[in-house]
Amino acid sequence: MSGSLIIAGLGPGNPAMVTPEVTLALSEATDIVGYIPYVARITPRPGLTLHPSDNRVELNRALHALQMAQSGQRVVVVSSGDPGVFAMASAVFEAVEAHPQFATLDIRVLPGITAMLAAAAALGAPLGHDFCAINLSDNLKPWALIERRLRLAAQADFAMAFYNPRSASRPDTFTQVLHTLRQDCEPTRLISFARAVSTPDQHLLTVTLEQAQPEMADMRTVVIVGNSATRRIGPHVYTPRSAG
Ligand code: SAH
């Protein structure tokens, strides 16, 4: 019995955006582990056990997956988007670091289309020049660090993608983000709110920083702030490939 652990990205929601490599891994799996809404995207079949779990239990979930793989199962841990972007791949490696008995297991990470790239494509090409991605959830880091990164990214004229922009438990984060950005970016800077990208609920909204309101973002939204050269062309938003 040799088990394996695959950490796979399911993409932003549209089944057509699941890679063939991930589809194959899912078809060969004996066990699927992940956050409830992501596991709900897997079609049940005989021989496959689904293990949905609540959010914020990433390390327990990773440990459970590692234990099943060690006992000979073919386990797939699923994330939305890409598993390496603010998701389960790091949680699995943290668990391996804390429990070295798993270090010899066959572990593989399969990439997926991350929300930022699906959103950028739906909008046009707002990430066409240098950009950065920032997780606005402060569950695992202090607000002071988020604020420092925002300021430095704005001063360096990076375009930015924000994940986890707003939640019921942190209603003010995005208000603070807008306040911080307004100190270093001009009022006409373009900011796009891309909600539920690639799903039937998809909604895209591009406004200026001056017009932006915190209510435009929620937990199903990825926010893309352009750099100083980002502009509209017809229905699209794009950033030229050269600076300035
Ligand atoms: N691993 C995921 C990100 C997990 S963090 C990925 O690579 O996409 C969860 C955040 O991702 C959400 O709060 C939201 O900001 C973003 N997100 C995930 N799916 C999305 C979608 N279909 N449309 C817009 N944003 C999405």
Side-chain angles (χ1 to χ4, degrees), residues 12 80-82 85-87 114-115 162-165 194-197 219-222:
S80 75
D82 181 89
V85 179
F86 312 132
T114 188
F162 301 143
Y163 286 75
N164 294 306
R195 182 170 194 274
V197 175
M219 282 309 272
R220 293 186 73 192
T221 305
V222 66

Side-chain angles (χ1 to χ4, degrees), residues 148-224:
R148 177 170 146 79
R149 290 188 174 156
L150 281 176
R151 279 190 198 289
L152 293 176
Q155 286 165 14
D157 202 20
F158 280 105
M160 299 171 225
F162 301 143
Y163 286 75
N164 294 306
R166 198 153 175 267
S167 77
S169 61
R170 303 177 281 110
D172 299 331
T173 303
F174 205 70
T175 310
Q176 289 171 278
V177 167
L178 290 175
H179 177 74
T180 304
L181 290 174
R182 283 175 180 141
Q183 294 175 8
D184 287 299
C185 302
E186 67 290 349
T188 54
R189 180 68 61 98
L190 293 183
I191 175 167
S192 299
F193 297 85
R195 182 170 194 274
V197 175
S198 88
T199 79
D201 300 332
Q202 174 172 308
H203 181 71
L204 305 176
L205 173 68
T206 299
V207 297
T208 62
L209 185 54
E210 192 173 37
Q211 296 164 331
Q213 300 292 330
E215 297 71 32
M216 292 172 177
D218 68 5
M219 282 309 272
R220 293 186 73 192
T221 305
V222 66
V223 180
I224 296 184

